[in-house]
Amino acid sequence: MTLLPPTQLRKVTQLAAFPIPSTHLTHLINRFQPSPETVVLFLAILIGGGTGMGVVTFHYLIQLIHDLMLENFMGQIGVWGAWTLACVPTLGGLIVGLMRWRTQDFGPGLSSLIAVSQGREVKQQLRPVTKMIAAAVSLGSGASLGPEGPSVEIGTNFGVLLSDVLQVSQERQRLLLGAGAAAGLAAGFNAPIAGVFFALEVVMGTTSFATSAVSVVLLAAVVAALIAQIGLGTQPAFALPAYQVRSPLELPLYLGLGLGASLVALTYTQSIRLVKAFFAGRLKRFEFLAKIPQPIQPIIGGLIVGLVALQYPQILGIGYGTVQAMLQDQEFSLNLLIVLMVLKVLMTAVSAASGFVGGLFAPAMFLGASFGSAYAKTLALIAPGIGEYMAAPPAYAMVGMAAVLAGSVRAPLTAILMLFELTRDYRIVLPLMAAVGLSVWLVERIKPTFNSNSNLQQIGLAELKDDQVEIVQQISVADAMHSYPKKMPTNLGVLEAAMEMIRDRTASALVIDANEQLVGILSLDDINRTLSVWENYQNSPGQIQANFSSQTIIDICTTDILYAWQDEPLSEALDRMALRGLHQLPVVARNNPDCILGLLEKEQIALTCNLAATRNALQHYLPILPTTDIVIGH
């Protein structure tokens, strides 16, 4: 059984040295006094080189342990019977368990490193070599995980280490972290373009790809991919078949594939969360599992994986060999594909939850390939006549790989570019984009993520932790609104209104008529937009000048008004604001829309939410807090 793609391996004896002599490097930089941009580019080359060598060493280590366990060790005990195959993952679990007992912690994962770079978590001790060895043992002994996660973490650890050595700013640290992630994925998959977009899309979380950021990430990915090609060969992770376009009418079938892939991706991610809660004893009637020592759990997980592998050995390890067989259209019955898909979900969840170390990319692609192939076979059974308009099952397996991967990690650009780099066939792009786009869209609709919630990002709350986001959901509109907002009459001139808002230092005001009824909302943006129009006509005839000077605020304010109610959750009002791109909402009584109770503004919402999160954090240190309102300065 082969865990890694066939490669022309050359011996690599050591990993890039993680403990860098900080004084020498800092002294060298201080001596030549390069520009900050030059320093960052130099660090990108270091990160790419170190990550490339680290990933090459990691792959050699996996292959070494695979040969020792599944060939040498099995060759010795296999004479006792086929049941001895279950001993290999169990032995791997024993080794990982001993490592966990010895070190307690393998260091932060990618999500923790991203949180540290954003200032949301306290920095933990880095253990890159220990974690790499644990991952190699896990994957080499048959745990149902992948090498991409550890490969990315090798790069991110290297980036964090260099940023610590040179004491760079938090912004630069995040940039070096992204460069390391791009280098890790580029080297692990031989897909540098996908690595770059993974860093920009997932790690750095930016959609405005700044030139400086892109250049640094590109350079790190190129260097890492070059070193990986020297050490592991130039061939991609999979040898994919040529894609065939049978008919333009086939595109709706790929949309159906995207729909199913979203359900597979959700089942996959939710199963991992559920099994992790099971092993941690957080499920009802299974609380006793929390008493099992953590070093024992990998042994239990390895035994479960080994017992299942007695009947279905295809679920062992990374699974590249099985995926390759599906892509080459080797005979897999529909029943076998469905069984493998279900078992791969469960065994990946067990492997990840029990304490094995590995990534979730490779299992997601295994699931996508098996689902895509099963989908194509099911269509052929349901409608036999459709076969002449359909591509072969491997085409659906390829697109399914990207669709499930994108839905699992919520990184559509990364998945599209990764498969495009693997196939190098432009004809697959259209169905690929359709399936991936629909899959990610459905996953976000069914199970939205708070951390990437665009509404929270708009008010500056994208960096809240999950538990803090839950607090935000409990705040009402009454907690965040201005109780005494600025009011202006409809007949007030634009210039007078502008002067009043400058004097009162307010960003918006309610426009009321003679009966004190709300008729509109005026913002500084409305005034600035009007003044810009005036400036364009400043040399116009006097009649036009007079028309401008006679304008009142009712002529420029927003009169199509949405309302908020003081007793509704703040999150609902925020959704309403985001839908129309509004910065403020008037708060009125439910039974009397003419009764103005306050004004809800984005700046005050952000302050209120941050105060609530801070107040909750203080409860750990100051159990008795004053019972005053969490909102100040209404």
Side-chain angles (χ1 to χ4, degrees):
M1 182 181 300
T2 302
L3 294 183
L4 294 173
T7 56
Q8 297 296 324
L9 299 179
R10 69 176 175 83
K11 189 174 182 181
V12 176
T13 57
Q14 62 181 14
L15 180 65
F18 281 95
I20 296 176
S22 60
T23 54
H24 294 175
L25 185 58
T26 307
H27 176 72
L28 183 65
I29 292 175
N30 292 337
R31 180 180 178 183
F32 290 98
Q33 292 293 318
S35 66
E37 291 75 17
T38 305
V39 172
V40 173
L41 288 176
F42 173 68
L43 295 180
I45 296 175
L46 285 182
I47 291 171
T51 301
M53 288 188 282
V55 170
V56 169
T57 304
F58 176 51
H59 277 247
Y60 275 110
L61 198 55
I62 295 174
Q63 192 68 46
L64 175 64
I65 295 173
H66 167 263
D67 293 341
L68 289 174
M69 288 194 170
L70 283 172
E71 292 183 11
N72 297 350
F73 180 63
M74 272 298 297
Q76 296 295 323
I77 66 172
V79 294
W80 300 341
W83 63 269
T84 53
L85 179 62
C87 297
V88 177
T90 307
L91 177 60
L94 175 62
I95 297 172
V96 173
L98 289 173
M99 294 181 68
R100 286 197 176 277
W101 172 74
R102 179 69 179 85
T103 63
Q104 299 299 320
D105 180 29
F106 288 148
L110 178 60
S111 59
S112 297
L113 290 173
I114 295 173
V116 168
S117 72
Q118 295 173 345
R120 295 190 285 123
E121 284 189 12
V122 178
K123 188 174 296 183
Q124 304 176 43
Q125 182 179 358
L126 298 178
R127 301 180 187 272
V129 176
T130 304
K131 194 167 190 177
M132 184 186 71
I133 295 173
V137 171
S138 300
L139 299 174
S141 62
S144 180
L145 295 168
E148 298 77 26
S151 297
V152 170
E153 287 178 6
I154 289 172
T156 53
N157 275 288
F158 210 90
V160 170
L161 186 64
L162 276 178
S163 63
D164 286 347
V165 166
L166 298 176
Q167 295 294 302
V168 300
S169 65
Q170 191 174 75
E171 180 183 355
R172 292 289 169 84
Q173 183 187 49
R174 193 172 182 184
L175 180 57
L176 296 179
L177 183 77
L185 192 64
F189 257 118
N190 194 12
I193 300 176
V196 169
F197 275 85
F198 175 76
L200 296 173
E201 187 177 27
V202 177
V203 179
M204 300 174 67
T206 178
T207 55
S208 59
F209 301 150
T211 304
S212 59
V214 173
S215 60
V216 171
V217 173
L218 273 173
L219 191 57
V222 167
V223 173
L226 179 62
I227 292 177
Q229 288 179 7
I230 293 172
L232 301 174
T234 58
Q235 69 280 353
F238 302 104
L240 301 181
Y243 176 73
Q244 295 180 343
V245 179
R246 294 287 182 89
S247 169
L249 300 177
E250 196 178 2
L251 187 60
L253 300 181
Y254 285 103
L255 292 176
L257 178 65
L259 171 62
S262 67
L263 301 179
V264 173
L266 282 171
T267 303
Y268 175 51
T269 54
Q270 293 303 111
S271 297
I272 293 173
R273 291 193 184 97
L274 184 64
V275 177
K276 282 185 176 180
F278 173 79
F279 271 90
R282 295 196 299 267
L283 298 182
K284 290 183 179 179
R285 300 180 183 177
F286 295 100
E287 291 86 355
F288 65 91
L289 292 174
K291 300 178 181 178
I292 299 177
Q294 193 178 38
I296 302 298
Q297 292 182 358
I299 303 175
I300 299 173
L303 179 61
I304 295 172
V305 172
L307 291 175
V308 173
L310 293 178
Q311 188 67 32
Y312 297 97
Q314 297 93 335
I315 58 95
L316 274 180
I318 301 171
Y320 280 171
T322 305
V323 172
Q324 184 67 60
M326 293 177 187
L327 296 176
Q328 295 300 329
D329 205 14
Q330 294 184 16
E331 189 57 40
F332 281 86
S333 67
L334 180 59
N335 290 337
L336 178 59
L337 289 170
I338 295 174
V339 170
L340 288 179
M341 189 164 49
V342 173
L343 290 178
K344 191 66 174 179
V345 169
L346 295 177
M347 293 306 101
T348 301
V350 168
S351 298
S354 62
F356 283 107
V357 181
L360 301 178
F361 269 40
M365 290 191 294
F366 184 105
L367 292 173
S370 55
F371 171 72
S373 186
Y375 175 80
K377 291 178 184 291
T378 302
L379 287 179
L381 285 176
I382 295 175
I386 205 173
E388 60 181 292
Y389 302 103
M390 286 178 55
Y396 288 85
M398 287 190 290
V399 176
M401 285 167 59
V404 173
L405 177 62
S408 302
V409 300
R410 310 201 185 197
L413 290 177
T414 302
I416 290 171
L417 289 168
M418 184 179 294
L419 193 72
F420 180 59
E421 281 191 276
L422 294 176
T423 60
R424 300 181 179 130
D425 189 343
Y426 186 78
R427 294 173 299 176
I428 200 173
V429 170
L430 191 61
L432 183 63
M433 292 174 65
V436 167
L438 182 60
S439 174
V440 174
W441 184 82
L442 288 172
V443 167
E444 283 291 343
R445 298 286 79 73
I446 298 172
K447 194 74 176 177
T449 53
F450 286 124
N451 285 341
S452 60
N453 190 296
S454 60
N455 299 347
L456 292 177
Q457 289 177 356
Q458 288 183 8
I459 62 168
L461 293 177
E463 296 184 358
L464 288 180
K465 296 180 182 178
D466 289 345
D467 56 344
Q468 292 173 334
V469 172
E470 293 178 5
I471 298 170
V472 170
Q473 309 302 314
Q474 300 169 5
I475 300 174
S476 68
V477 168
D479 295 326
M481 71 180 187
H482 285 288
S483 299
Y484 302 100
K486 177 74 176 176
K487 298 179 183 178
M488 293 182 174
T490 56
N491 59 357
L492 186 66
V494 173
L495 295 178
E496 291 82 358
M499 294 301 295
E500 279 198 30
M501 295 179 76
I502 292 173
R503 183 193 64 204
D504 296 339
R505 303 179 64 84
T506 183
S508 56
L510 301 179
V511 180
I512 57 175
D513 61 13
N515 298 321
E516 294 286 322
Q517 292 185 350
L518 179 66
V519 294
I521 299 178
L522 179 70
S523 69
L524 284 177
D525 289 338
D526 296 327
I527 292 178
N528 291 332
R529 194 180 307 115
T530 302
L531 294 178
S532 296
V533 173
W534 289 11
E535 187 177 350
N536 293 334
Y537 290 92
Q538 60 183 350
N539 296 322
S540 299
Q543 182 62 40
I544 298 179
Q545 293 274 4
N547 289 340
F548 284 155
S549 60
S550 63
Q551 272 191 314
T552 59
I553 59 176
I554 191 62
D555 299 321
I556 67 170
C557 71
T558 302
T559 55
D560 184 13
I561 308 172
L562 294 179
Y563 299 101
W565 295 274
Q566 64 175 353
D567 58 343
E568 73 171 325
L570 180 61
S571 57
E572 294 183 9
L574 190 58
D575 290 339
R576 207 174 304 130
M577 293 171 69
L579 183 64
R580 294 272 296 273
L582 302 176
H583 289 215
Q584 56 275 317
L585 279 182
V587 183
V588 298
R590 281 187 182 272
N591 55 357
N592 184 12
D594 295 329
C595 179
I596 302 171
L597 301 177
L599 181 65
L600 196 61
E601 292 185 301
K602 281 174 56 175
E603 293 77 9
Q604 189 67 19
I605 293 173
L607 175 61
T608 303
C609 295
N610 280 309
L611 288 173
T614 304
R615 182 182 177 85
N616 183 71
L618 282 174
Q619 291 178 354
H620 299 290
Y621 308 97
L622 303 173
I624 302 176
L625 288 175
T627 57
T628 55
D629 193 357
I630 60 173
V631 184
I632 59 175
H634 277 335

